[in-house]
């Protein structure tokens, strides 16, 4: 009997979480089929901070998530393992966040000339630090994919998945990105930060392997992003306002989901910014926006994506931020999104059976 089978036989999925591991599962990086890379990074956030603590908040809340999935038999047996949260990255993020915040404050004051010398070098310093973070993510993704693992990412702000997407682009010559988000994230070096959280979609599109970007739930965007989305034939945007209008006029969510899925190629990377959901589900995320989805709306869309026969090649969940004074609600919601997405990812890869 293999080590993994021994672990499975000795674990009670209906019992109390007694393992200090993601979802209380008994797997490690050797026995798990899915590796979660935690990236506690929030250097370029432009409104509220806190997303660097997202991986820890989700981890803590995950111990209360029931493992049973009524449409995926024995889903937990696939094995999910989150790598240790890198403390050094938390420290680096915190230090550069202070530098970035002071620079953003200077920009918001109109960039006073008397402080120009003090702040002129900041963008280059921030860009270098973010590039190093992206390279670390890329190397982690390459390492575990070379071992035959599925890989996903837990942020951190929305700049964090770029290294994972780049790693996937080396092995997939034509894939799409399905983006659940309140924001278009198509800004070019927002606030002069090349790897801004508000530039992730723009940066991802630099990869020629991405044949289509399908954005869903967008409701906060600038004019240049609107024009870019309209004029770039690689981008299809389903704006929150239009989705709700269609729903109010009687169009079924099933039909809308079919239209979204039809826009995607056979292989799909899924990026989920938690602010794509109604803010009641993520009140402490960095840039909450009124509107958005219920949890089951998005999970229904993801299940329809898998049922269509299209393959999820990777995913991320970003912008989860814990509330003050130990408020665990955001982490609670994030943990449930992460578990469901992990199982749907496994099902799309043929490692789990989806009803």
């Amino acid at each position: 009997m293999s080590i993994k089978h021994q672990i499975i036989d000795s674990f009670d999925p209906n019992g109390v979480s007694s393992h200090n591991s993601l979802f209380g599962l008994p797997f490690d990086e050797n026995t798990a089929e899915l590796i979660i890379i935690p990236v506690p990074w929030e250097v370029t956030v432009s409104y509220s901070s806190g997303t660097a603590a997202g991986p820890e908040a989700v981890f803590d809340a995950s111990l209360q998530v029931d493992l049973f999935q009524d449409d995926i038999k024995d889903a937990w047996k696939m094995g999910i393992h989150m790598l240790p949260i890198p403390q050094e990255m938390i420290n680096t993020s915190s230090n550069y966040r202070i530098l970035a915040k002071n620079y953003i404050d200077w920009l918001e004051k109109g960039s006073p000339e008397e402080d120009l010398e003090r702040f002129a070098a900041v963008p280059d310093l921030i860009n270098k630090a973010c590039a190093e973070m992206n390279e670390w993510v890329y190397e982690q993704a390459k390492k575990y994919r070379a071992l035959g693992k599925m890989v996903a990412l837990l942020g951190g702000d929305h700049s964090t998945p770029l290294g994972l997407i780049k790693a996937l682009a080396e092995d997939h010559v034509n894939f799409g990105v399905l983006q659940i988000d309140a924001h278009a994230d198509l800004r070019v070096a927002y606030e002069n930060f090349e790897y801004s959280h508000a530039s992730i979609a723009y940066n991802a599109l630099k990869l020629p392997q991405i044949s289509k970007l399908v954005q869903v739930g967008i409701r906060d965007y600038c004019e240049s992003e609107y024009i870019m989305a309209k004029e770039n034939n690689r981008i299809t945007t389903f704006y929150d306002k239009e989705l709700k209008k269609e729903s109010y006029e009687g169009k079924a969510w099933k039909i809308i989901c079919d239209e979204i899925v039809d826009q995607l190629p056979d292989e799909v990377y899924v990026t989920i910014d938690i602010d794509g959901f109604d803010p009641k589900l993520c009140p402490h995320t960095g840039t909450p926006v009124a509107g958005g989805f219920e949890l089951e709306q998005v999970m229904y869309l993801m299940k329809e994506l898998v049922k269509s026969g299209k393959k999820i090649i990777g995913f991320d969940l970003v912008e989860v931020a814990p509330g003050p004074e130990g408020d665990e609600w955001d982490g609670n919601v994030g943990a449930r999104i992460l578990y469901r997405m992990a199982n749907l990812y496994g099902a799309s890869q043929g490692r789990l059976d989806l009803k």
Side-chain angles (χ1 to χ4, degrees), residues 34 145 149-152 164-165 167-177 209-210 265-270 305 310-316 344-346 348-349:
L34 171 58
R145 282 181 54 77
K149 306 292 185 180
M150 299 186 296
V151 179
L164 172 55
I165 299 171
L168 290 166
E170 293 185 354
D171 300 322
H172 300 271
V173 297
N174 175 15
F175 66 98
V177 174
Q209 296 91 335
I210 296 177
D266 290 339
E267 296 187 323
V268 182
Y269 178 86
V270 179
L305 174 65
K310 296 185 179 183
K311 182 180 290 188
I312 297 174
I313 62 172
F315 79 92
D316 64 69
L344 290 172
Y345 181 14
S348 80
Q349 289 281 325

Side-chain angles (χ1 to χ4, degrees), residues 81 87 111 118 158 192 281 310:
H81 174 71
Q87 184 61 47
S111 309
R118 174 188 171 193
H158 210 162
N192 299 316
L281 299 173
K310 296 185 179 183

Side-chain angles (χ1 to χ4, degrees), residues 19-23 54-64 82 85 154 331 335 338:
H19 295 268
N20 187 29
S21 57
L22 189 68
F23 304 115
E56 183 176 4
V58 171
F59 179 93
D60 290 344
S62 75
L63 299 176
Q64 296 300 318
M82 188 168 89
I85 298 172
L154 178 61
L338 184 66

